[in-house]
Amino acid sequence: MTDRRARVTATVDACRFALARRDARAVVAVVGVGYLLAYLWVTDLLAIRPDAGTGWLLVDDPFARALERRGPISFEPVALLEFGYGTVLVSPIDVAIGAALAGLVGLNLALASLAVVRPAACGIDGSAGGAKKGAGAGLAAAVPALLSGSVCCAPAIALALGIQVSGALLATLPWLLPIGTALLVGSLGYLAGKIDVAPAATRESAARATGLEENR
Amino acid sequence: MTRRSRRSVLALAAVGLAGCLGGSGPGRSGPYDEGASGTEATPDGMTASPDDAALEASQVPTADEQLPVEYSLETLREATVREVVPRDGIPSIDDPAFEPVDESVDRLPGDPVFGVVRNGEAKAYPQSVLVHHEIVNDEIGGEPVAVTYCPLTGTAMGFERGDVEFGVSGHLLNSNLVMYDRAEESYWPQMLATAMEGPLEAASLVEFPVRWTTWERWTEAYPDSVVLASDQDYVRDYGNDPYGAYNPPSGYYAEDTDWTFAPLTADDRYPPKRPFLCSRPDDGPLAVSLEALQEHGVYGIGGDGREDDYLATYDPTFDVGHLYRVDDATEYGYDADAGAVIDPDGERRDPADLPLESVYAYDAMWFAWAGFYPSTSVHAHD
C-alpha cells in the first residue's frame, strides 16, 4: 500500500517536474496535438477534403444528443464545422476521450525523453552504467505507451485497411479504451522511476558523493 | 454503382439461355480469399413458419408467402454478429427532409442515388446520405415505406412498413444490415426480408424495387422530383463515406477487395464486390452479371430444372436491370440503338415496362448474394 502510494507520488512529482520544463512541455504539446488530430481522423471525426465549403451546423438539442452512443466508445456529434480544407464533426465526449489519451501519450513521451537527458542514475538505478540503462529503459518504455495509445483506434484501423473482423474482435472493443488507458497510466508510473527529479544542486552533490565512494 | 459504360452500337443481341452464356450452379474455386476468420454455416434450409396469431396481430405489413431462405433460423441466429454498433447507433431518418432536385448542389453527375417511384411520386435518396443512416422511414405516394441501404453488401431495397418504423439493430448477418421493427421488435436481415427472430420470425416483408442509378440519369428522367436533403436531424459529414467511394469505386467498394465480415458461405468464383442482379423466385435463386446484361441487353434464363423461363432486361435510361417471368426467353431480342427489347412479335418495348409478369430483383455484391443463397445459378461471361 505504502509502495503504491509512493509510486503514485513519484509519478505525480515526475509529471509536475516534466511540465515545469520547457523542453518536456513542448514534447507534451506536439505529441498530444498530433495524437488528438490522428485520433479524430482515424475515428472519422476529422476529414481532409479539398471540396469542403465553409460553415457550420448545430443539432437542435446538443446536450441530449451528445450523450447518445453511436459505437462502443463513440458518441453522437452535435455540430459539423466545414473549414474549407476539410470538416470536423464535433462530438464532445469523443473529443474529451481523445484529449485525455493524447495527454497521457504526450506525458509518456515527455517522461521518456527526460529519462534520456536526466536518467535516475543516482537514485533507483544506482549501479555503474545506470545512466545508460535508465536512458535505454526510458526509450523502450515509450514503445508500449505508443502501442497502448493506439489500441483504442484498432477497430477503425482494421476497417480502414480492409482487415477481416471477427465477432471475437468486436467483443473486445468495449475493453480497448480502459485497457489502453490503464497501460498508459502504468507506463507513466514506470517511466517516473526512470528519471531524476531532484534539483540540479542536489544532483551534483549526490554525484560528488558517489565519486568519493568510488575513489575510496 | 459505376459500371462499364454501355457499348455505343450493339446490334440485335441474341438471348442466351443458362448454360449457353456461362450460367452455372454453385461452386467455389477461384482466386479470392475465402476468409480464414469465419466459420462457414451449413445451408440447412428454412423449415419454420410464422406464428398465425402473431401475423394476425402484426402492425408490420407481411407477405402472403414466406420468401425463400436457405438456412434455418437457428443457423442464422448463430451466424449473426451482434452489436457491431449499439442499436440505433446508426440513426435511421424518421422525419426526412427533401429538396427539389434542381436546387440540390454538391453532387457529381456519376454519384449514385437510389430512386423510387410509387403512385406517381418520384423520390431520390443519395447513397452519400444513406451510407450514414441506412434506413429512411418515409411516405411515398401516400404510402408509408422504408427505403433501406446496406453499404457492406451493396443492396438498396424498399419495404412497406404500415405505421411501424424500422431501425438499425446494430447486428450484421452475412455482412448485411439487420433491421428491427419498432413495434414488435422482430429482427429482419435486409437481403432475406424475412425475420430471423422475434414475434414475427419466419414472416417476410412486402418488398418493392429501388433503382440504383446515378444523379445525372435520375435528374434527366425526373427533373421535377425531390431528393433527400443533407440537412437531417443527425449531423454527419455526407461528403465523407467511411467505407470508400463509388464514383469511381474505391476502398471497400472496389470489386476486387475482400469482405470485412466472413460470409455465411464463401464462393470465390467472382470478385467479392462485383454487382449482380439477384432474385429469389420459388424455383431457385439466380444472379445475372450486370456487366453481361449491359452488353447483351437481354439475358434469358431457363432450363436447369427451372419451372419457368426468366428474362433479364437492361434499362439504359437508369443503367439498371429488370427481371420478368416469360414463357420462352429465347423469343426476345434487344435493339441497342433504341435501348429497347424486341418482343416475339417484333415490337420494340421499354425494357422497364414489358407487358410481362415482373419478378422482384435487386443489385447485390456477389459475396453477399452467394453467402445467403449458395444454391444460386449464375449468369455471366466468365
mmCIF file of all heavy atoms in Angstrom, chain B residues 297-324:
data_model
loop_
_atom_site.group_PDB
_atom_site.id
_atom_site.type_symbol
_atom_site.label_atom_id
_atom_site.label_comp_id
_atom_site.label_asym_id
_atom_site.label_seq_id
_atom_site.Cartn_x
_atom_site.Cartn_y
_atom_site.Cartn_z
ATOM 1 N N GLY B 297 -28.039 -6.672 -73.387
ATOM 2 C CA GLY B 297 -29.344 -6.010 -73.395
ATOM 3 C C GLY B 297 -30.443 -6.869 -72.811
ATOM 4 O O GLY B 297 -31.245 -6.400 -72.014
ATOM 5 N N VAL B 298 -30.492 -8.127 -73.226
ATOM 6 C CA VAL B 298 -31.429 -9.070 -72.596
ATOM 7 C C VAL B 298 -30.665 -10.343 -72.275
ATOM 8 O O VAL B 298 -29.646 -10.653 -72.894
ATOM 9 C CB VAL B 298 -32.618 -9.413 -73.524
ATOM 10 C CG1 VAL B 298 -33.584 -8.264 -73.629
ATOM 11 C CG2 VAL B 298 -32.137 -9.855 -74.887
ATOM 12 N N TYR B 299 -31.166 -11.065 -71.307
ATOM 13 C CA TYR B 299 -30.492 -12.281 -70.876
ATOM 14 C C TYR B 299 -31.567 -13.291 -70.485
ATOM 15 O O TYR B 299 -32.384 -13.017 -69.602
ATOM 16 C CB TYR B 299 -29.586 -11.972 -69.686
ATOM 17 C CG TYR B 299 -28.377 -12.860 -69.598
ATOM 18 C CD1 TYR B 299 -27.093 -12.348 -69.786
ATOM 19 C CD2 TYR B 299 -28.509 -14.221 -69.343
ATOM 20 C CE1 TYR B 299 -25.982 -13.158 -69.719
ATOM 21 C CE2 TYR B 299 -27.407 -15.033 -69.282
ATOM 22 C CZ TYR B 299 -26.144 -14.508 -69.469
ATOM 23 O OH TYR B 299 -25.045 -15.323 -69.408
ATOM 24 N N GLY B 300 -31.592 -14.401 -71.173
ATOM 25 C CA GLY B 300 -32.602 -15.406 -70.892
ATOM 26 C C GLY B 300 -32.102 -16.443 -69.912
ATOM 27 O O GLY B 300 -30.938 -16.850 -69.955
ATOM 28 N N ILE B 301 -32.978 -16.850 -69.026
ATOM 29 C CA ILE B 301 -32.619 -17.840 -68.009
ATOM 30 C C ILE B 301 -33.693 -18.911 -68.021
ATOM 31 O O ILE B 301 -34.882 -18.617 -67.892
ATOM 32 C CB ILE B 301 -32.538 -17.180 -66.615
ATOM 33 C CG1 ILE B 301 -31.444 -16.099 -66.626
ATOM 34 C CG2 ILE B 301 -32.278 -18.221 -65.529
ATOM 35 C CD1 ILE B 301 -31.686 -14.993 -65.657
ATOM 36 N N GLY B 302 -33.278 -20.147 -68.196
ATOM 37 C CA GLY B 302 -34.247 -21.236 -68.199
ATOM 38 C C GLY B 302 -33.519 -22.561 -68.120
ATOM 39 O O GLY B 302 -32.297 -22.600 -67.991
ATOM 40 N N GLY B 303 -34.255 -23.641 -68.197
ATOM 41 C CA GLY B 303 -33.636 -24.957 -68.078
ATOM 42 C C GLY B 303 -33.122 -25.176 -66.675
ATOM 43 O O GLY B 303 -33.610 -24.566 -65.714
ATOM 44 N N ASP B 304 -32.115 -26.024 -66.529
ATOM 45 C CA ASP B 304 -31.512 -26.296 -65.211
ATOM 46 C C ASP B 304 -32.564 -26.673 -64.178
ATOM 47 O O ASP B 304 -32.426 -26.353 -62.996
ATOM 48 C CB ASP B 304 -30.727 -25.072 -64.705
ATOM 49 C CG ASP B 304 -29.325 -25.033 -65.278
ATOM 50 O OD1 ASP B 304 -28.938 -26.030 -65.921
ATOM 51 O OD2 ASP B 304 -28.633 -24.017 -65.087
ATOM 52 N N GLY B 305 -33.627 -27.327 -64.606
ATOM 53 C CA GLY B 305 -34.665 -27.766 -63.674
ATOM 54 C C GLY B 305 -35.621 -26.676 -63.269
ATOM 55 O O GLY B 305 -36.480 -26.876 -62.398
ATOM 56 N N ARG B 306 -35.529 -25.508 -63.891
ATOM 57 C CA ARG B 306 -36.451 -24.429 -63.539
ATOM 58 C C ARG B 306 -37.823 -24.683 -64.145
ATOM 59 O O ARG B 306 -37.936 -25.179 -65.267
ATOM 60 C CB ARG B 306 -35.918 -23.094 -64.041
ATOM 61 C CG ARG B 306 -34.732 -22.584 -63.276
ATOM 62 C CD ARG B 306 -34.395 -21.164 -63.669
ATOM 63 N NE ARG B 306 -33.227 -20.702 -62.923
ATOM 64 C CZ ARG B 306 -33.279 -20.256 -61.675
ATOM 65 N NH1 ARG B 306 -34.437 -20.188 -61.061
ATOM 66 N NH2 ARG B 306 -32.189 -19.888 -61.051
ATOM 67 N N GLU B 307 -38.844 -24.289 -63.409
ATOM 68 C CA GLU B 307 -40.207 -24.442 -63.916
ATOM 69 C C GLU B 307 -40.508 -23.383 -64.975
ATOM 70 O O GLU B 307 -41.272 -23.612 -65.908
ATOM 71 C CB GLU B 307 -41.211 -24.297 -62.767
ATOM 72 C CG GLU B 307 -41.098 -25.409 -61.738
ATOM 73 C CD GLU B 307 -41.880 -25.081 -60.464
ATOM 74 O OE1 GLU B 307 -42.682 -24.130 -60.487
ATOM 75 O OE2 GLU B 307 -41.666 -25.771 -59.459
ATOM 76 N N ASP B 308 -39.920 -22.196 -64.788
ATOM 77 C CA ASP B 308 -40.232 -21.077 -65.673
ATOM 78 C C ASP B 308 -38.973 -20.585 -66.366
ATOM 79 O O ASP B 308 -37.852 -20.850 -65.932
ATOM 80 C CB ASP B 308 -40.838 -19.915 -64.871
ATOM 81 C CG ASP B 308 -42.145 -20.302 -64.220
ATOM 82 O OD1 ASP B 308 -43.033 -20.791 -64.929
ATOM 83 O OD2 ASP B 308 -42.257 -20.136 -62.988
ATOM 84 N N ASP B 309 -39.189 -19.805 -67.409
ATOM 85 C CA ASP B 309 -38.107 -19.035 -68.011
ATOM 86 C C ASP B 309 -38.155 -17.627 -67.427
ATOM 87 O O ASP B 309 -39.229 -17.133 -67.033
ATOM 88 C CB ASP B 309 -38.297 -18.939 -69.533
ATOM 89 C CG ASP B 309 -37.702 -20.142 -70.253
ATOM 90 O OD1 ASP B 309 -37.336 -21.128 -69.571
ATOM 91 O OD2 ASP B 309 -37.631 -20.104 -71.497
ATOM 92 N N TYR B 310 -37.011 -16.999 -67.380
ATOM 93 C CA TYR B 310 -36.931 -15.619 -66.908
ATOM 94 C C TYR B 310 -36.194 -14.795 -67.945
ATOM 95 O O TYR B 310 -35.294 -15.296 -68.633
ATOM 96 C CB TYR B 310 -36.212 -15.541 -65.554
ATOM 97 C CG TYR B 310 -36.964 -16.285 -64.479
ATOM 98 C CD1 TYR B 310 -36.704 -17.638 -64.247
ATOM 99 C CD2 TYR B 310 -37.951 -15.654 -63.733
ATOM 100 C CE1 TYR B 310 -37.414 -18.340 -63.295
ATOM 101 C CE2 TYR B 310 -38.668 -16.363 -62.768
ATOM 102 C CZ TYR B 310 -38.397 -17.698 -62.554
ATOM 103 O OH TYR B 310 -39.109 -18.390 -61.618
ATOM 104 N N LEU B 311 -36.552 -13.532 -68.024
ATOM 105 C CA LEU B 311 -35.895 -12.625 -68.948
ATOM 106 C C LEU B 311 -35.382 -11.424 -68.155
ATOM 107 O O LEU B 311 -36.167 -10.697 -67.546
ATOM 108 C CB LEU B 311 -36.883 -12.148 -70.030
ATOM 109 C CG LEU B 311 -36.263 -11.218 -71.079
ATOM 110 C CD1 LEU B 311 -35.379 -12.007 -72.047
ATOM 111 C CD2 LEU B 311 -37.352 -10.464 -71.850
ATOM 112 N N ALA B 312 -34.059 -11.256 -68.174
ATOM 113 C CA ALA B 312 -33.478 -10.056 -67.563
ATOM 114 C C ALA B 312 -33.281 -9.027 -68.664
ATOM 115 O O ALA B 312 -32.821 -9.368 -69.762
ATOM 116 C CB ALA B 312 -32.146 -10.397 -66.906
ATOM 117 N N THR B 313 -33.659 -7.789 -68.408
ATOM 118 C CA THR B 313 -33.520 -6.740 -69.423
ATOM 119 C C THR B 313 -32.689 -5.590 -68.869
ATOM 120 O O THR B 313 -32.706 -5.314 -67.662
ATOM 121 C CB THR B 313 -34.893 -6.176 -69.850
ATOM 122 O OG1 THR B 313 -35.498 -5.503 -68.730
ATOM 123 C CG2 THR B 313 -35.810 -7.296 -70.330
ATOM 124 N N TYR B 314 -31.956 -4.949 -69.789
ATOM 125 C CA TYR B 314 -31.133 -3.798 -69.397
ATOM 126 C C TYR B 314 -31.854 -2.508 -69.750
ATOM 127 O O TYR B 314 -32.308 -2.327 -70.883
ATOM 128 C CB TYR B 314 -29.780 -3.854 -70.106
ATOM 129 C CG TYR B 314 -28.932 -2.637 -69.844
ATOM 130 C CD1 TYR B 314 -28.467 -2.368 -68.555
ATOM 131 C CD2 TYR B 314 -28.608 -1.747 -70.859
ATOM 132 C CE1 TYR B 314 -27.697 -1.245 -68.295
ATOM 133 C CE2 TYR B 314 -27.832 -0.625 -70.611
ATOM 134 C CZ TYR B 314 -27.384 -0.382 -69.323
ATOM 135 O OH TYR B 314 -26.629 0.737 -69.060
ATOM 136 N N ASP B 315 -31.974 -1.628 -68.777
ATOM 137 C CA ASP B 315 -32.649 -0.353 -68.947
ATOM 138 C C ASP B 315 -31.586 0.754 -69.016
ATOM 139 O O ASP B 315 -31.026 1.158 -67.986
ATOM 140 C CB ASP B 315 -33.576 -0.143 -67.735
ATOM 141 C CG ASP B 315 -34.266 1.206 -67.759
ATOM 142 O OD1 ASP B 315 -34.014 1.987 -68.685
ATOM 143 O OD2 ASP B 315 -35.058 1.462 -66.839
ATOM 144 N N PRO B 316 -31.277 1.242 -70.243
ATOM 145 C CA PRO B 316 -30.179 2.213 -70.384
ATOM 146 C C PRO B 316 -30.513 3.580 -69.790
ATOM 147 O O PRO B 316 -29.611 4.357 -69.489
ATOM 148 C CB PRO B 316 -29.992 2.314 -71.901
ATOM 149 C CG PRO B 316 -31.274 1.874 -72.501
ATOM 150 C CD PRO B 316 -31.890 0.908 -71.544
ATOM 151 N N THR B 317 -31.793 3.879 -69.590
ATOM 152 C CA THR B 317 -32.141 5.182 -69.017
ATOM 153 C C THR B 317 -31.554 5.325 -67.614
ATOM 154 O O THR B 317 -31.013 6.362 -67.245
ATOM 155 C CB THR B 317 -33.676 5.351 -68.955
ATOM 156 O OG1 THR B 317 -34.194 5.131 -70.262
ATOM 157 C CG2 THR B 317 -34.045 6.730 -68.462
ATOM 158 N N PHE B 318 -31.664 4.251 -66.833
ATOM 159 C CA PHE B 318 -31.186 4.313 -65.448
ATOM 160 C C PHE B 318 -29.964 3.430 -65.191
ATOM 161 O O PHE B 318 -29.467 3.387 -64.073
ATOM 162 C CB PHE B 318 -32.322 3.908 -64.491
ATOM 163 C CG PHE B 318 -33.469 4.875 -64.486
ATOM 164 C CD1 PHE B 318 -34.632 4.609 -65.176
ATOM 165 C CD2 PHE B 318 -33.358 6.078 -63.803
ATOM 166 C CE1 PHE B 318 -35.679 5.510 -65.182
ATOM 167 C CE2 PHE B 318 -34.405 6.988 -63.805
ATOM 168 C CZ PHE B 318 -35.568 6.705 -64.504
ATOM 169 N N ASP B 319 -29.525 2.694 -66.227
ATOM 170 C CA ASP B 319 -28.404 1.771 -66.060
ATOM 171 C C ASP B 319 -28.724 0.724 -64.984
ATOM 172 O O ASP B 319 -27.942 0.483 -64.066
ATOM 173 C CB ASP B 319 -27.123 2.545 -65.683
ATOM 174 C CG ASP B 319 -25.889 1.660 -65.733
ATOM 175 O OD1 ASP B 319 -25.865 0.702 -66.528
ATOM 176 O OD2 ASP B 319 -24.938 1.930 -64.945
ATOM 177 N N VAL B 320 -29.911 0.150 -65.112
ATOM 178 C CA VAL B 320 -30.341 -0.876 -64.157
ATOM 179 C C VAL B 320 -30.903 -2.077 -64.908
ATOM 180 O O VAL B 320 -31.172 -2.011 -66.111
ATOM 181 C CB VAL B 320 -31.429 -0.350 -63.182
ATOM 182 C CG1 VAL B 320 -30.898 0.792 -62.338
ATOM 183 C CG2 VAL B 320 -32.689 0.065 -63.928
ATOM 184 N N GLY B 321 -31.084 -3.183 -64.204
ATOM 185 C CA GLY B 321 -31.673 -4.379 -64.787
ATOM 186 C C GLY B 321 -33.076 -4.617 -64.247
ATOM 187 O O GLY B 321 -33.429 -4.144 -63.155
ATOM 188 N N HIS B 322 -33.887 -5.313 -65.059
ATOM 189 C CA HIS B 322 -35.223 -5.732 -64.627
ATOM 190 C C HIS B 322 -35.369 -7.216 -64.922
ATOM 191 O O HIS B 322 -34.680 -7.752 -65.794
ATOM 192 C CB HIS B 322 -36.313 -4.953 -65.379
ATOM 193 C CG HIS B 322 -36.226 -3.464 -65.196
ATOM 194 N ND1 HIS B 322 -36.732 -2.817 -64.097
ATOM 195 C CD2 HIS B 322 -35.658 -2.507 -65.971
ATOM 196 C CE1 HIS B 322 -36.501 -1.521 -64.212
ATOM 197 N NE2 HIS B 322 -35.842 -1.309 -65.341
ATOM 198 N N LEU B 323 -36.284 -7.863 -64.232
ATOM 199 C CA LEU B 323 -36.469 -9.301 -64.419
ATOM 200 C C LEU B 323 -37.959 -9.598 -64.611
ATOM 201 O O LEU B 323 -38.810 -9.032 -63.917
ATOM 202 C CB LEU B 323 -35.939 -10.058 -63.194
ATOM 203 C CG LEU B 323 -35.816 -11.571 -63.342
ATOM 204 C CD1 LEU B 323 -34.701 -11.931 -64.330
ATOM 205 C CD2 LEU B 323 -35.517 -12.223 -61.987
ATOM 206 N N TYR B 324 -38.235 -10.487 -65.585
ATOM 207 C CA TYR B 324 -39.623 -10.868 -65.886
ATOM 208 C C TYR B 324 -39.721 -12.381 -65.974
ATOM 209 O O TYR B 324 -38.754 -13.070 -66.330
ATOM 210 C CB TYR B 324 -40.073 -10.268 -67.221
ATOM 211 C CG TYR B 324 -40.015 -8.758 -67.269
ATOM 212 C CD1 TYR B 324 -38.875 -8.102 -67.739
ATOM 213 C CD2 TYR B 324 -41.095 -7.991 -66.853
ATOM 214 C CE1 TYR B 324 -38.818 -6.715 -67.789
ATOM 215 C CE2 TYR B 324 -41.048 -6.607 -66.903
ATOM 216 C CZ TYR B 324 -39.907 -5.975 -67.369
ATOM 217 O OH TYR B 324 -39.850 -4.608 -67.418
#
